[in-house]
Every structure is written in structure tokens, then in C-alpha cells.
């Protein structure tokens, strides 16, 4: 049986009277992206800090790359990289000098080649000789991740790595993350951006008030939430009323001339719905299928929208 990259059982952590992690269990297979979702204060960063040996847990066990984080933190640190919410770069140095510093600290052989490769991979070659003070937020984040990769870690913790980035920079980071996983790296990602988790993660866990309230693939989590429906838009109120009478349980919107019909979105049920309209000489001007997204999952599990949770 393959040893998971990360295995956590009954992990607990409190700061004074405030319980931050209340017995969480999770497992991350090697070479995958695992995303931990949750509102601010849910315990995401605390989880990362425990797993990366920055703080100690009060109870439970945690293993990273087969090493116990409490008993053998040095071995854990040798296998991981960590990128936090804020780029940990030295603004007094150039991009190349920041990377050289990490290469020296890690004793990387052939550091100049490694640095050149990373600058090219992260599209920072032209800015390599410039002070980091001149870098945009996206460039700083890319440099921060490049510095994390200097030691060639096999497990990387990314704690909200794209917070504050513009959409283009965020998608660039997504591409880099996918490339890392294609090379066999394991990614443990915390994020408040549900689209990010949906796009990247093989598995997702939702953390709320220190407890894991759900785990699964994005598709599995979405299937837990009711609300799949077909939306039909008509040209007249008379057509809308006539269609509503055909489908018990449907919800009309008189202002938008739309009808929301509960459905499992399967081909048989969709065909039956359209045939029913045709049999009654009705035709929708627009037709669309809507399924719950991760925002719906988040709201159902935590009682908050993602915006309210920030």
C-alpha cells in the first residue's frame, strides 16, 4: 500500500480557550492537489503551520512524507516547501539574489543552473537583475514560489497563494501548480477562492470552526447539495403560466419570464421535459441546466457565503 504524502488523525490545537482545530482527520495521496477550504478563522493556516512544523499540535498525529511532524520535524522540513499568504521575499535584493540566497541556504549543487531554470520557468528572466521593490504583486508571488522550489521539495504547502492577485496572474499560478503536480509534486492548497479549488483540486475538505464538515472530490461535494434544475425562459407571461402548470414543484419568475424546474439533469429527464412542452405547443426561448457549484456547497455546509466568510 502506498504511503500517503500527508496523513492526519485527530489533530487538535487551541490557543488559550479558543479551540482552532478540533480533531481533524485527512489523507493526501502523493502527486495530487488537496485543497482545504474554509472561512477566515476556520483553522486553515493553523493546519498548515502544524504540518510544516512551525507550531506543535496539542493532540492527534500528523505524518508528512512518512515522517511524524512532532517526532522528526527535521526530516519533514527536508521534504517540504511552504509559500504563505504574503510573499516572503527580500525587497533589498534582486530576484536572482533572492534565489541565490535560498540556494546557498539549502546547499544546492549547481545553484546557478537551478536559478536560471527557475527564472525561465516563472518568466522572471528579464526582471532577474531588478530590485524586488519594482516587482508587481504577481511577480512577487511567482518569485516566492520559485524560492520554495530551489530545494526541489516533493510536498508543497500553498497557503492562499493567489490572494490579491489579478485574474491573469492567478491563472499563471494555476498553470505553474499544474506543472508541479505533473512532475509528481504533492500540493496542499488553502484558498478562499472556490473557483480555484474547483479548477485545481483532486480532493477538497471544508473546514469550519476547527472541524472538517465535508471531504470529497469537487463533483462529490456538489452532488451532496440539492438544487439541480432546468431553467426555461419564455416570451410571454401566458406561456410561462402554461408551462408552470405542467410541472408541479416548478418555480416561476414573472419578472424574468423564467421557469425553474427541478431535475436530475439526466438525458432522459431532459428529453421528457422538452417533449412535454412540445406536446402542449410550448417552446422556451432559452433553455439551460444549472447544477450547484462550490459556492452552494460552501453556503450549505458553513451557513455563510464566501464573501461573508472573508
Amino acid at each position: 500500500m502506498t504511503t500517503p504524502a500527508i496523513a492526519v488523525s485527530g489533530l487538535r490545537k487551541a490557543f488559550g480557550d479558543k479551540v482552532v482545530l478540533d480533531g481533524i482527520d485527512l489523507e493526501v495521496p502523493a502527486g495530487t492537489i488537496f485543497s482545504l477550504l474554509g472561512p477566515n478563522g476556520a483553522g486553515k493556516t493553523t493546519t498548515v503551520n502544524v504540518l510544516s512544523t512551525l507550531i506543535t499540535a496539542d493532540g492527534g498525529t500528523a505524518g508528512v512524507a512518512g515522517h511524524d511532524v512532532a517526532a522528526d520535524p527535521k526530516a519533514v522540513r527536508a521534504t517540504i516547501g511552504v509559500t504563505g499568504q504574503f510573499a516572503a521575499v527580500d525587497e533589498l535584493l534582486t530576484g536572482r539574489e533572492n534565489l541565490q540566497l535560498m540556494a546557498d541556504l539549502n546547499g544546492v549543487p549547481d545553484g546557478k543552473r537551478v536559478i536560471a531554470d527557475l527564472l525561465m520557468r516563472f518568466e522572471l528572466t528579464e526582471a532577474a537583475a531588478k530590485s524586488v521593490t519594482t516587482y508587481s504583486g504577481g511577480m512577487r508571488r511567482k518569485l516566492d514560489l520559485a524560492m520554495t522550489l530551489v530545494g526541489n521539495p516533493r510536498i508543497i504547502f500553498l497557503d492562499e497563494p493567489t490572494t490579491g492577485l489579478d485574474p491573469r496572474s492567478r491563472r499563471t499560478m494555476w498553470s505553474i501548480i499544474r506543472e508541479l503536480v505533473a512532475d509528481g509534486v504533492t500540493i496542499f492548497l488553502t484558498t478562499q477562492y472556490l473557483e480555484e479549488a474547483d479548477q485545481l483540486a483532486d480532493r477538497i475538505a471544508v473546514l469550519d470552526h476547527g472541524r472538517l464538515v465535508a471531504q470529497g472530490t469537487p463533483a462529490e461535494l456538489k452532488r451532496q447539495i440539492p438544487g439541480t434544475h432546468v431553467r426555461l425562459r419564455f416570451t410571454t407571461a401566458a406561456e410561462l403560466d402554461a408551462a408552470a402548470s405542467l410541472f408541479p414543484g416548478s418555480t416561476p419568475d414573472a419578472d424574468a419570464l423564467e421557469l425553474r424546474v427541478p431535475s436530475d439533469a439526466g438525458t432522459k429527464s431532459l428529453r421528457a421535459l422538452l417533449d412535454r412542452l412540445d406536446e402542449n405547443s410550448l417552446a422556451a426561448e432559452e433553455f439551460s441546466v444549472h447544477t450547484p457549484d462550490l459556492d452552494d456547497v460552501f453556503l450549505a455546509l458553513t451557513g455563510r457565503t464566501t464573501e461573508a466568510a472573508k
Side-chain angles (χ1 to χ4, degrees), residues 10 14 41 49 55 64 67 78 155 205 221 241 267-268 279:
N49 287 344
I55 61 175
V64 175
H67 306 290
I155 300 173
L221 292 182
D241 292 340
T267 54
K268 281 189 176 180
E279 290 166 2

Short mmCIF file of all heavy atoms in Angstrom, two decimals, residues 10 14 41 49 55 64 67 78 155 205 221 241 267-268 279:
data_model
loop_
_atom_site.label_atom_id
_atom_site.label_comp_id
_atom_site.label_asym_id
_atom_site.label_seq_id
_atom_site.Cartn_x
_atom_site.Cartn_y
_atom_site.Cartn_z
N GLY A 10 -7.05 12.93 14.15
CA GLY A 10 -7.43 13.52 15.44
C GLY A 10 -6.65 14.75 15.82
O GLY A 10 -6.43 15.01 17.02
N ALA A 14 -5.31 24.40 20.25
CA ALA A 14 -6.04 25.51 20.87
C ALA A 14 -5.04 26.60 21.23
O ALA A 14 -3.87 26.33 21.52
CB ALA A 14 -6.78 25.04 22.10
N GLY A 41 -10.48 32.27 9.98
CA GLY A 41 -10.57 31.80 11.34
C GLY A 41 -10.99 30.36 11.49
O GLY A 41 -11.15 29.85 12.60
N ASN A 49 0.51 25.34 9.45
CA ASN A 49 1.62 25.59 10.37
C ASN A 49 2.00 24.34 11.17
O ASN A 49 3.18 24.11 11.44
CB ASN A 49 1.27 26.74 11.32
CG ASN A 49 1.29 28.09 10.64
OD1 ASN A 49 1.84 28.23 9.55
ND2 ASN A 49 0.68 29.08 11.27
N ILE A 55 4.44 25.13 14.20
CA ILE A 55 3.88 25.06 15.55
C ILE A 55 3.57 23.61 15.88
O ILE A 55 3.47 22.77 14.97
CB ILE A 55 2.60 25.92 15.72
CG1 ILE A 55 1.49 25.43 14.79
CG2 ILE A 55 2.89 27.39 15.49
CD1 ILE A 55 0.17 26.15 14.98
N VAL A 64 4.02 13.56 7.49
CA VAL A 64 4.29 14.19 6.20
C VAL A 64 5.46 13.45 5.56
O VAL A 64 6.53 13.32 6.17
CB VAL A 64 4.64 15.68 6.36
CG1 VAL A 64 5.04 16.30 5.02
CG2 VAL A 64 3.45 16.44 6.95
N HIS A 67 7.06 10.89 7.72
CA HIS A 67 7.74 11.31 8.95
C HIS A 67 6.73 11.95 9.91
O HIS A 67 5.88 12.74 9.48
CB HIS A 67 8.85 12.31 8.65
CG HIS A 67 9.84 11.82 7.63
ND1 HIS A 67 10.74 10.81 7.87
CD2 HIS A 67 10.05 12.22 6.34
CE1 HIS A 67 11.47 10.60 6.79
NE2 HIS A 67 11.07 11.43 5.84
N ALA A 78 12.95 18.72 5.44
CA ALA A 78 13.82 18.40 4.31
C ALA A 78 13.03 18.02 3.06
O ALA A 78 13.59 18.01 1.95
CB ALA A 78 14.77 17.27 4.69
N ILE A 155 6.71 17.92 -1.47
CA ILE A 155 5.41 18.31 -0.93
C ILE A 155 5.45 19.81 -0.69
O ILE A 155 6.37 20.31 -0.04
CB ILE A 155 5.10 17.58 0.39
CG1 ILE A 155 5.08 16.07 0.17
CG2 ILE A 155 3.76 18.05 0.98
CD1 ILE A 155 4.96 15.26 1.46
N ALA A 205 -11.47 19.45 1.19
CA ALA A 205 -12.06 19.33 2.52
C ALA A 205 -12.52 20.71 2.95
O ALA A 205 -11.84 21.70 2.69
CB ALA A 205 -11.04 18.77 3.52
N LEU A 221 -18.78 16.61 -3.76
CA LEU A 221 -19.32 17.63 -2.86
C LEU A 221 -20.54 18.32 -3.48
O LEU A 221 -21.53 18.59 -2.80
CB LEU A 221 -18.25 18.66 -2.52
CG LEU A 221 -17.08 18.15 -1.68
CD1 LEU A 221 -16.11 19.29 -1.38
CD2 LEU A 221 -17.56 17.54 -0.38
N ASP A 241 -47.03 30.83 -17.56
CA ASP A 241 -48.07 30.26 -16.70
C ASP A 241 -48.48 28.87 -17.19
O ASP A 241 -48.68 27.95 -16.37
CB ASP A 241 -49.30 31.17 -16.67
CG ASP A 241 -49.02 32.49 -15.96
OD1 ASP A 241 -48.05 32.54 -15.18
OD2 ASP A 241 -49.78 33.45 -16.19
N THR A 267 -30.19 12.83 -19.32
CA THR A 267 -30.71 12.99 -20.69
C THR A 267 -32.17 12.55 -20.78
O THR A 267 -32.96 13.16 -21.51
CB THR A 267 -29.86 12.19 -21.69
OG1 THR A 267 -29.78 10.82 -21.26
CG2 THR A 267 -28.47 12.78 -21.80
N LYS A 268 -32.55 11.49 -20.03
CA LYS A 268 -33.94 11.02 -20.10
C LYS A 268 -34.90 12.07 -19.57
O LYS A 268 -35.94 12.34 -20.18
CB LYS A 268 -34.08 9.72 -19.29
CG LYS A 268 -33.60 8.48 -20.02
CD LYS A 268 -33.97 7.23 -19.24
CE LYS A 268 -33.56 5.98 -20.02
NZ LYS A 268 -33.93 4.74 -19.26
N GLU A 279 -45.60 18.70 -26.61
CA GLU A 279 -46.96 18.14 -26.64
C GLU A 279 -48.03 19.19 -26.35
O GLU A 279 -49.18 19.06 -26.78
CB GLU A 279 -47.08 17.00 -25.62
CG GLU A 279 -46.29 15.75 -25.99
CD GLU A 279 -46.15 14.81 -24.81
OE1 GLU A 279 -46.70 15.14 -23.73
OE2 GLU A 279 -45.49 13.77 -24.96
#
